[in-house]
Amino acid sequence: MAETILSISHLTKRFDDQTILEDLSLEVREGEVVVIVGSSGCGKSTLLRCINALEDIQGGEIRLRGELIRYGSKNLPEMRRKVGMVFQNYELFPHLTVLENILLAPVKAQKRSREEVREEALTLLDRVGLKEKAGSYPRQLSGGQKQRVAIVRALCMHPEILLFDEVTAALDPEMVREVLDVIVSLADQGKTMLIVTHEMSFARAVADRIILLEDRNILEESDPETFFTAPKTEQAKKFLQSFEFNRKNKAEA
Amino acid sequence: MPDLGLEVLWRGKNFVRLLGGLWVALRISLIAAGISVVAGILLGIAASRKRSVSSVILRIWLGIIHIMPQMVLLFLMYFGTTRAFGWNLSGETAAIIVFSLWGAAEMGDLVRGAVSSIPVIQRESAEALGLKPFQVYRWIILPQAVRRLLPLSINLITRMIKTTSLVTLIGVVEILKVAQQIIEANRKASPNAAFGVFLTIFVMYYLACRPLSLAAKKLEKHWR
Amino acid sequence: MRTIRNIIALAIALVLALSLVVTASADVVYRTLDEIKASGTINIGVFSDKNPFGYVDENGEYQGYDVYFARRIGEDLGVTVNYVSTEAANRVEYLETGKVDIVLANFTVTPERAEKVDFALPYMNVALGVVSPDSRVIKDLSELTADDQVIVISGTTAEDYLIKNNPEILLQKYDTYANAKNALENGNAAAWANDNTEVIAFALQNEGYTVGIPSLGSQDTIAPAVSKGNESLLNWINDEIRALAGENFFHKDYEETLVDTYGLDYEDSLVLEGGGLAE
């Protein structure tokens, strides 16, 4: 069995007196693609933000290859460099070109040679079909293009694990595909990924393991075939049915 | 052509005196502007953290500066410090201090506003890439903030240059005072001198402020 | 102008408040006569834009009636004069903080000011004056009928005096000298009341006008002032003014600086020699 990259144990997260996650434990092994699903507001995004220590946690611990990731700790920037994060709204830096967006952290934070990173960045941009946009500013790109740049930006850091936070939720439908295709190809390359998404067919195709988050904790955890064809819990069935219902509506329309 | 009394400018050293007065005004306002920008950025960043001590200090400081006319501050700094502490600041030093206090407060508020207007998630996005807090400010927050506050700070600096006319109240002779002197000295010989002299000042102010606004425009275009 | 005056009043009040709060203030702000002589420089506050009393000529040199006297003080003390450009609003403050040694800036002696600074012997007279057109010269305020109006500039001594002593006279108020002048020239009023130096100068420069009342109300004087308590300097100035009477110094001063503006007719009524004791 492959080595454990990310291990979360007994994680509890509260905002003021509202508990979002409680006593949650989860492990992700090298090369594994884990997809987290669940109804809106169940804490999926918060979980990802905790892993990157963008949120403080009130209990438990998070380790990356055995090393503790702790909010406010001295080596946090160093730990974060090993975790690639892609946000729902891309969060490219508007004052920098596509290439500068990608080069900034590897050059400034990782102190790698500009030339080397530049070459890598252009190769990756080429692979997602955006090589000719290297000198453009984010505002000149479509949503789907921006999100692909954001993925390249995260990849160039050579992270141990990639976190995707509903990366297609803000996109127009015709652009969803181009982004998801990139992620699927990353999965094929054996990247370790933790993905939060509402795209069920994508989840089914890309995931090694599906996790259903409800009620502050993991409710169901299984391989995609089992999850989609034979869910164990009533809530999982209900959750999946909400998509079925949507689909019927679409067919009628 | 109407008589603008322009000939008074060529009498004796009058034109050189006007230029000297302009230099005094520019020296005070540009030194103060330099101090204001540096202090304002530090102050603004410190104050952009909500509920921080520095944001309270900035707010009180700004309140005082806004309530008090600059004239009062100049009086306090020049005469008040002599009475209270026995300091003997030169008029120009007192003026630079007052203008810096004023500029730093306003600049601090501009920077605070600009920094706060950068979405939190931009900072998080930079942090998630493993940039250190200083690097986040240096490469992400400040460059974006500066673009937002550039027009406002140019406006502040030109307001400063214009407000220097008040320093005559603490004995500093700057361009407007020189103008007044020239007009008064020639009240009988060239009663129309006021038009010509003020027209000249207008042109001088314009030429002095023009490079500033040009540079600002160029930068804005560059950033668009 | 009103608001500027209020702001300056606020400034002065705050300066005072600050000095009360902080008790560490120096007791003696001024420099004694010996200290001034030892330093080789005397700081004299003068106007720099009030022609012909204190102004700066085209070569950047201070000139005028007050400056003529200041220059003599420097010569007789054997020190260099450092002229400080003062404004009407900050003359008292300059002396109270010892930033100048003497103020020679057309400084009218008033009881309120005398509480804060020490005035030396006066060297000039001032009073209010009234100028009117030659077609109907007003020689006494009683000649004004109920329909007549008198021009004043807001905030001046003339306004205060007329409101207080002749409330029956209709006043026409203007904010600036230029507006008041225009009003008189347009025949909007029967007369214009102001400092007599101002109306005399106006009548001399504008044909068809006469100063019918050259001296109205109580005569005020203009004198040098020093910081409160600076006796050594005050006594020296007084001795100097008395001594200068022997050479008719201030008449010479008048003829050098004021005669172009006020003419010879008013020389004896405006100039004071020896602090007025010689009269």
Side-chain angles (χ1 to χ4, degrees):
Chain A
M1 185 178 264
E3 194 189 335
T4 300
I5 295 234
L6 177 73
S7 106
I8 300 170
S9 46
H10 309 291
L11 167 67
T12 296
K13 168 70 200 168
R14 277 188 293 269
F15 285 116
D16 298 323
D17 51 357
Q18 195 191 357
T19 305
I20 309 293
L21 302 167
E22 193 165 26
D23 197 30
L24 184 148
S25 297
L26 169 70
E27 294 209 334
V28 181
R29 285 181 297 279
E30 187 162 8
E32 195 180 21
V33 178
V34 177
V35 172
I36 303 172
V37 298
S39 52
S40 302
C42 70
K44 308 179 298 273
S45 292
T46 305
L47 175 59
L48 290 196
R49 291 170 57 83
C50 288
I51 295 171
N52 222 333
L54 290 175
E55 302 287 350
D56 195 2
I57 57 177
Q58 283 69 45
E61 57 177 41
I62 300 166
R63 287 177 184 274
L64 188 71
R65 281 209 196 271
E67 269 188 273
L68 208 56
I69 297 182
R70 210 159 38 96
Y71 183 85
S73 78
K74 259 233 158 78
N75 72 336
L76 189 55
E78 201 183 310
M79 294 306 292
R80 279 171 168 163
R81 281 168 216 156
K82 301 176 188 170
V83 180
M85 177 106 177
V86 183
F87 294 87
Q88 179 175 335
N89 287 305
Y90 345 115
E91 300 312 328
L92 298 179
F93 307 125
H95 60 296
L96 300 178
T97 63
V98 165
L99 192 62
E100 288 165 345
N101 260 280
I102 299 170
L103 296 191
L104 182 70
V107 172
K108 299 296 173 193
Q110 290 180 319
K111 312 278 182 213
R112 285 155 61 193
S113 104
R114 189 174 195 84
E115 264 322 292
E116 172 222 318
V117 188
R118 189 168 174 278
E119 211 155 290
E120 182 184 353
L122 289 175
T123 312
L124 287 171
L125 278 177
D126 194 25
R127 209 173 292 163
V128 299
L130 292 174
K131 193 175 183 182
E132 73 283 5
K133 298 284 185 190
S136 305
Y137 282 90
R139 61 178 173 277
Q140 298 165 312
L141 305 183
S142 73
Q145 291 172 327
K146 280 189 239 190
Q147 199 56 291
R148 281 181 279 159
V149 171
I151 293 171
V152 170
R153 185 173 70 175
L155 278 176
C156 257
M157 296 291 290
H158 303 158
E160 303 267 5
I161 183 168
L162 282 161
L163 311 180
F164 293 86
D165 185 7
E166 302 196 32
V167 294
T168 56
L171 294 179
D172 290 337
E174 68 270 22
M175 293 174 184
V176 170
R177 182 82 204 204
E178 64 191 48
V179 173
L180 295 184
D181 278 345
V182 171
I183 301 176
V184 170
S185 77
L186 290 177
D188 287 340
Q189 292 160 37
K191 302 276 183 207
T192 313
M193 299 190 276
L194 190 54
I195 302 171
V196 169
T197 185
H198 284 292
E199 302 284 340
M200 287 307 137
S201 57
F202 162 69
R204 190 168 183 171
V206 81
D208 295 318
R209 186 151 49 108
I210 300 261
I211 283 172
L212 176 64
L213 207 59
E214 287 294 334
D215 256 349
R216 290 167 283 185
N217 211 324
I218 295 173
L219 184 71
E220 190 161 333
E221 184 174 355
S222 48
D223 64 276
E225 272 319 299
T226 318
F227 181 79
F228 284 102
T229 54
K232 290 173 242 175
T233 59
E234 275 307 304
Q235 280 109 316
K237 273 180 209 154
K238 251 195 195 149
F239 174 76
L240 287 171
Q241 267 166 13
S242 70
F243 290 91
E244 300 271 331
F245 179 74
N246 283 342
R247 207 169 279 166
K248 269 181 193 161
N249 258 359
K250 245 186 233 168
E252 281 163 18
Chain B
M1 166 133 180
D3 174 22
L4 294 176
L6 281 169
E7 78 281 354
V8 302
L9 292 173
W10 310 117
R11 221 171 278 159
K13 301 178 185 154
N14 281 353
F15 193 73
V16 178
R17 287 172 60 211
L18 270 184
L19 282 177
L22 178 67
W23 173 234
V24 171
L26 287 181
R27 194 167 55 206
I28 292 175
S29 45
L30 293 183
I31 292 176
I35 296 173
S36 302
V37 167
V38 175
I41 287 178
L42 297 177
L43 195 66
I45 290 176
S48 64
R49 296 168 190 195
K50 283 185 189 101
R51 277 173 295 196
S52 64
V53 181
S54 38
S55 76
V56 175
I57 292 174
L58 177 68
R59 222 172 314 131
I60 295 172
W61 179 352
L62 250 179
I64 294 173
I65 299 272
H66 276 162
I67 295 169
M68 294 252 208
Q70 269 93 36
M71 212 187 279
V72 174
L73 293 171
L74 287 170
F75 254 71
L76 280 175
M77 191 52 67
Y78 186 60
F79 296 114
T81 56
T82 307
R83 278 170 180 270
F85 314 114
W87 299 352
N88 220 337
L89 301 174
S90 77
E92 195 168 323
T93 310
I96 289 174
I97 295 174
V98 165
F99 280 62
S100 300
L101 286 175
W102 167 38
E106 288 224 12
M107 195 68 198
D109 198 42
L110 292 180
V111 171
R112 185 199 54 73
V115 166
S116 308
S117 75
I118 310 290
V120 180
I121 195 153
Q122 274 282 309
R123 175 183 319 216
E124 291 177 344
S125 166
E127 283 172 355
L129 283 166
L131 292 171
K132 293 182 181 143
F134 168 77
Q135 293 176 317
V136 175
Y137 272 105
R138 167 69 186 81
W139 301 105
I140 306 303
I141 308 290
L142 282 183
Q144 293 190 55
V146 164
R147 284 160 170 75
R148 291 177 199 208
L149 59 83
L150 185 76
L152 296 169
S153 35
I154 293 296
N155 174 295
L156 174 65
I157 293 171
T158 46
R159 264 191 298 144
M160 272 184 167
I161 295 176
K162 281 182 262 179
T163 315
T164 46
S165 57
L166 291 179
V167 301
T168 174
L169 274 164
I170 56 172
V172 181
V173 177
E174 50 66 69
I175 183 165
L176 269 178
K177 189 68 184 177
V178 176
Q180 202 82 41
Q181 290 174 354
I182 293 175
I183 292 164
E184 281 298 317
N186 295 283
R187 211 162 115 182
K188 258 187 306 172
S190 316
N192 289 329
F195 296 107
V197 171
F198 280 118
L199 188 71
T200 310
I201 293 191
F202 174 80
V203 173
M204 283 181 172
Y205 268 130
Y206 177 80
L207 290 178
C209 292
R210 187 73 186 146
L212 263 181
S213 55
L214 269 184
K217 246 183 217 145
K218 208 162 188 187
L219 269 177
E220 271 182 89
K221 209 173 230 170
H222 176 73
W223 285 335
R224 192 166 297 135
Chain C
M1 280 317 273
R2 263 283 144 81
T3 51
I4 290 177
R5 205 165 294 146
N6 290 341
I7 287 170
I8 290 174
L10 170 65
I12 292 171
L14 281 165
V15 170
L16 281 171
L18 181 65
S19 61
L20 286 178
V21 169
V22 184
T23 48
S25 63
D27 292 333
V28 177
V29 297
Y30 55 80
R31 304 193 299 163
T32 62
L33 185 64
D34 289 340
E35 285 168 341
I36 293 168
K37 278 183 177 165
S39 79
T41 308
I42 188 165
N43 299 314
I44 301 184
V46 295
F47 283 137
S48 68
D49 57 359
K50 297 284 183 299
N51 191 0
F53 295 98
Y55 65 98
V56 181
D57 70 12
E58 63 269 25
N59 294 312
E61 304 285 342
Y62 278 84
Q63 303 293 355
Y65 185 73
D66 295 334
V67 176
Y68 191 87
F69 181 34
R71 202 175 292 137
R72 181 62 186 261
I73 289 176
E75 281 168 20
D76 291 347
L77 267 178
V79 296
T80 324
V81 179
N82 173 38
Y83 294 102
V84 177
S85 162
T86 59
E87 307 292 322
N90 63 18
R91 288 174 298 191
V92 169
E93 204 62 30
Y94 260 107
L95 286 174
E96 288 197 304
T97 52
K99 287 179 185 292
V100 299
D101 300 305
I102 308 176
V103 163
L104 276 176
N106 204 14
F107 211 5
T108 307
V109 180
T110 67
E112 301 86 59
R113 286 172 182 161
E115 283 173 17
K116 296 172 183 160
V117 303
D118 282 343
F119 284 105
L121 293 173
Y123 58 94
M124 189 173 168
N125 284 318
V126 282
L128 300 178
V130 179
V131 64
S132 37
D134 287 348
S135 54
R136 185 183 159 216
V137 178
I138 307 291
K139 293 205 171 92
D140 193 290
L141 289 181
S142 61
E143 293 170 22
L144 294 164
T145 68
D147 298 332
D148 287 329
Q149 297 193 5
V150 173
I151 295 166
V152 291
I153 299 174
S154 301
T156 56
T157 332
E159 183 193 14
D160 294 342
Y161 177 87
L162 289 177
I163 288 176
K164 205 167 147 199
N165 297 294
N166 300 77
E168 74 284 358
I169 295 176
L170 280 173
L171 298 182
Q172 229 177 71
K173 298 178 189 180
Y174 295 93
D175 274 335
T176 63
Y177 180 91
N179 290 344
K181 179 173 177 252
N182 281 339
L184 185 69
E185 285 169 351
N186 293 338
N188 294 357
W192 177 12
N194 206 347
D195 289 352
N196 62 355
T197 49
E198 293 281 355
V199 293
I200 289 168
F202 174 82
L204 275 178
Q205 285 157 34
N206 296 274
E207 217 153 287
Y209 296 92
T210 302
V211 178
I213 310 175
S215 178
L216 177 70
S218 63
Q219 187 102 342
D220 281 331
T221 55
I222 285 173
V226 300
S227 300
K228 195 94 196 149
N230 194 354
E231 266 179 50
S232 58
L233 183 58
L234 186 71
N235 291 337
W236 185 89
I237 296 172
N238 284 339
D239 291 344
E240 173 82 353
I241 289 176
R242 284 191 202 102
L244 289 175
E247 54 181 88
N248 256 353
F249 175 81
F250 288 104
H251 282 82
K252 232 176 284 161
D253 188 350
Y254 184 97
E255 284 151 26
E256 288 281 327
T257 58
L258 298 188
V259 74
D260 286 351
T261 315
Y262 302 120
L264 283 168
D265 292 351
Y266 295 96
E267 180 168 342
D268 283 330
S269 59
L270 289 176
V271 168
L272 269 178
E273 288 292 354
L277 301 175
E279 276 180 15

